[in-house]
Amino acid sequence: MSSARPRPVSGDPAAARPVLDAPDVGRALTRIAHEIVERNHGADDVVLLGIPTRGVTLARRIAQRVEGIEGRPVRTGSLDVTMYRDDLRMRGVRPLEETDIPAAGIDDSVVVLVDDVLFSGRTVRAALDAMGDLGRPRAVQLAVLVDRGHRELPIRADYVGKNIPTSLRETVHVLLDEIDGRDSVLLGPAEEAR
Amino acid sequence: MNRHLLSAADLNRDDALLVLDTAEELARLADRPIKKLPTLRGRTVVNLFFEDSTRTRTSFELAAKRLSADVINFSAKGSSVSKGESLKDTALTLEAMGADAVVVRHSASGAPHRLAHWIRGSVVNAGDGTHEHPTQALLDAFTMRQRLGRVEGLHVTIVGDVLHSRVARSNVLLLHTLGAEVTLVAPPTLLPVGVDAWPCDVSFDLDAVVPKSDVVMMLRVQRERMHGGFFPTTREYSRRYGLDARRMATLPDDAIVMHPGPMNRGVEIAAEVADSVRSTIVEQVANGVSVRMAVLYLLLGGGMAEAVESAA
Amino acid sequence: MSGQNSWVLKGVRPLGGEPTTLFVDDGVLVDAEPSGAQSFDADGLIALPGLVDLHTHLREPGREDAETVETGTLAAALGGFTAVHAMANTEPVADVAGVVEQVWRLGQDAGHCDVHPVGAVTVGLRGEQLAELGAMAESAARVRVFSDDGKCVHDPMLMRRALEYLRAFDGVIAQHAQDPRLTDGAQMNEGVQSARLGLVG
């Protein structure tokens, strides 16, 4: 339905400093795929659920790699958490993204939530609530490409592509080829208040 | 989007598409075991119905409840106070109760507009007199998109009592905004003076228009109009302006037949048409809940009068 | 092709103008003499287009003792009328498709001139409820002129609705412009004479 929009890099693009380049992103995802398979003794019970927008793209890439390792496709979908957010009143409403749960559902499976950046943890909290309305997984794990710290909730990732210490004033931009035309993670100065 | 939804004209093209896109995602909720979202928890939605309308009230009530809002049904029928005063008194009461949104149905055109000046919450017009019924138009557009894949470029024919129809007025405005081509067909007695200035075509000849229509929307003939001298007899009305199997057979293959309900079978629509595969009448009811959820979410989900554009 | 209805009209005066000769080929005016035409001495006669009478009473159905479609149209044809409009005050009233079709067919069968039935505006000419104007318009009689004949459609809202309704098929209304409230019991034109005679004006 709704297509992902390129995320604008605010301020002076030159001021945004690359912290991961394309090969780094690819290697991180390959490692995460291996870790998922290793931790779960295969991927038969695993369902990868990406959180829109970039989490969905990352989930698909990880799914390809898992299939390459295991020789079997892994169930993949997307989970929009907009309606479960606790910051709608502060930030205003936003358009909904697609929620696409594999036909078999998520009951008794191991759901791996996939997102691009782990920051306050509120998105993941919303995702856990959303999942509670969809079924009852045996376990939920979290995979992120970047963990930038500053958690506001007791949430941690099971699989991390790269830990990037940041200041609260900085912004982290994940660019992915499918959406943005290239793979990169940029660390930039603070955006204007949004 | 504006803080209120009083008229289909309040929605520009982007607003209207946002409502439809949002409703499309929310419609998928119907397939889930738990059909409820926490989004409007702690918000209060008042259904203020001065006119009986079980189906519209129920639709709004279900929509609000699926978003976890608290719903109060405030039936204000039969008040003896003169209309202007009683409406204002009611508004002040609702204001004191802290209503975040008031969904209002009133027999007087313009009542929601007045209400919007008296309360701080959002006002959603659920049908006012012979003026507008914007959420009906939204659910109709949603149904067209669901069945035909688009609204833009569709030839939509609206047939019947346009003069007294709030559904027709809202549909003409919204469908024009969304790029459809609307033709009104009615006896000249049931077209308002000045209809030539509306963004649509007008015809008196249903047989000429039906074969060119992607959508035919039949309006209800109100019982009280049947004796108002607007047309000679119901028999002549249904023969000239009703949709029967013979006329339906001249529709293009994919065309659909809509009706806002409740129907007068055998008057504006024949039973075999209402029950045919072209008919979307049952879907329209189901879609009404999704569209009203989308409207409530977009009006109330954010802070007061938050701009939708801030989303990314 | 020439036929029975081919003529050479000698000395005729079109619209009362100078005498001339007209050629008629099977009922149609032509420039040259058609073969097999009959010659007719029309000296002193005036040629006119077929006349149309907008207001006749052919009385059928109901008052066949006074007039029938046959007799009325024969008289019309002899008087130079090629079309007559038959008023709606028959018994039953010409307020439904069945009656106007009957009158129209009687005219076709008689064959003297065209009969255009006038449809009633209101049911029974009573001025209360619109007759099925659309059904009459779509009938074989293709009614386009409607009138309550000698009765006035005196309810202004009903008249408005009727006039609006007719737009759908380009109909017209012939109104007997006599307000019943202003002419209650009236016997003659109100004026010096009515005052002197003590008659209601």
Side-chain angles (χ1 to χ4, degrees), chain B residues 28 205 216:
Chain B
R28 309 175 75 174
D205 187 353
V216 178

Side-chain angles (χ1 to χ4, degrees), chain B residues 187-189 193 204 228-233 235-236 239-241, chain C residues 96 129-135 138 160-161 164-165 167-169:
Chain B
T189 43
V193 170
F204 306 131
F230 293 96
F231 47 87
T233 59
R235 180 177 62 172
E236 173 151 325
R239 204 155 40 198
R240 293 179 67 80
Y241 300 101
Chain C
V96 291
Q129 193 204 333
L130 289 182
E132 291 192 343
L133 310 176
E138 282 183 0
R160 174 195 165 150
R161 297 265 155 76
E164 283 178 341
Y165 195 77
R167 285 182 58 208
F169 37 86

Side-chain angles (χ1 to χ4, degrees), chain A:
Chain A
M1 189 201 71
S2 52
S3 59
R5 274 160 283 184
R7 183 176 298 177
V9 178
S10 65
D12 180 5
R17 171 168 64 84
V19 287
L20 290 181
D21 61 14
D24 293 336
V25 170
R27 279 189 289 269
L29 294 177
T30 302
R31 178 170 52 74
I32 289 172
H34 278 284
E35 287 176 2
I36 289 171
V37 172
E38 186 182 353
R39 167 99 62 106
N40 297 296
H41 311 290
D44 290 349
D45 295 339
V46 170
V47 177
L48 296 168
L49 287 186
I51 298 174
T53 308
R54 283 165 184 73
V56 178
T57 309
L58 291 172
R60 283 199 203 103
R61 288 211 204 163
I62 293 170
Q64 284 167 2
R65 285 165 163 79
V66 171
E67 185 174 349
I69 299 162
E70 290 289 285
R72 279 197 296 273
V74 59
R75 286 175 287 163
T76 310
S78 64
L79 179 65
D80 180 49
V81 305
T82 307
M83 300 301 269
Y84 293 85
R85 298 195 80 95
D86 60 6
D87 57 358
L88 284 172
R89 282 193 202 212
M90 277 90 81
R91 295 241 212 132
V93 298
R94 50 187 74 193
L96 303 188
E97 304 285 348
E98 188 173 359
T99 292
D100 178 23
I101 304 299
I106 56 172
D107 285 351
D108 293 324
S109 61
V110 175
V111 169
V112 180
L113 293 171
V114 183
D115 204 358
D116 51 357
V117 179
L118 180 58
F119 187 17
S120 68
R122 290 180 188 272
T123 301
V124 176
R125 200 268 320 154
L128 292 171
D129 284 355
M131 220 171 351
D133 287 348
L134 289 168
R136 189 181 181 283
R138 180 155 53 81
V140 181
Q141 298 166 359
L142 175 62
V144 296
L145 182 60
V146 174
D147 182 348
R148 61 167 294 189
H150 305 290
R151 214 75 74 243
E152 295 167 4
L153 296 169
I155 282 170
R156 63 165 178 79
D158 300 270
Y159 315 100
V160 179
K162 173 90 173 163
N163 283 295
I164 302 177
T166 61
S167 96
L168 274 172
R169 298 181 48 78
E170 288 171 313
T171 52
V172 175
H173 297 289
V174 173
L175 306 182
L176 296 176
D177 187 41
E178 295 89 329
I179 299 166
D180 310 290
R182 62 182 167 124
D183 279 357
S184 180
V185 176
L186 304 175
L187 185 60
E191 295 180 14
E192 287 88 77
R194 302 186 53 182

Side-chain angles (χ1 to χ4, degrees), chain C residues 147-168:
Chain C
S147 178
D148 275 359
D149 189 45
K151 303 272 189 65
C152 177
V153 182
H154 61 276
D155 177 344
M157 187 52 93
L158 190 67
M159 188 59 163
R160 174 195 165 150
R161 297 265 155 76
L163 287 167
E164 283 178 341
Y165 195 77
L166 293 176
R167 285 182 58 208

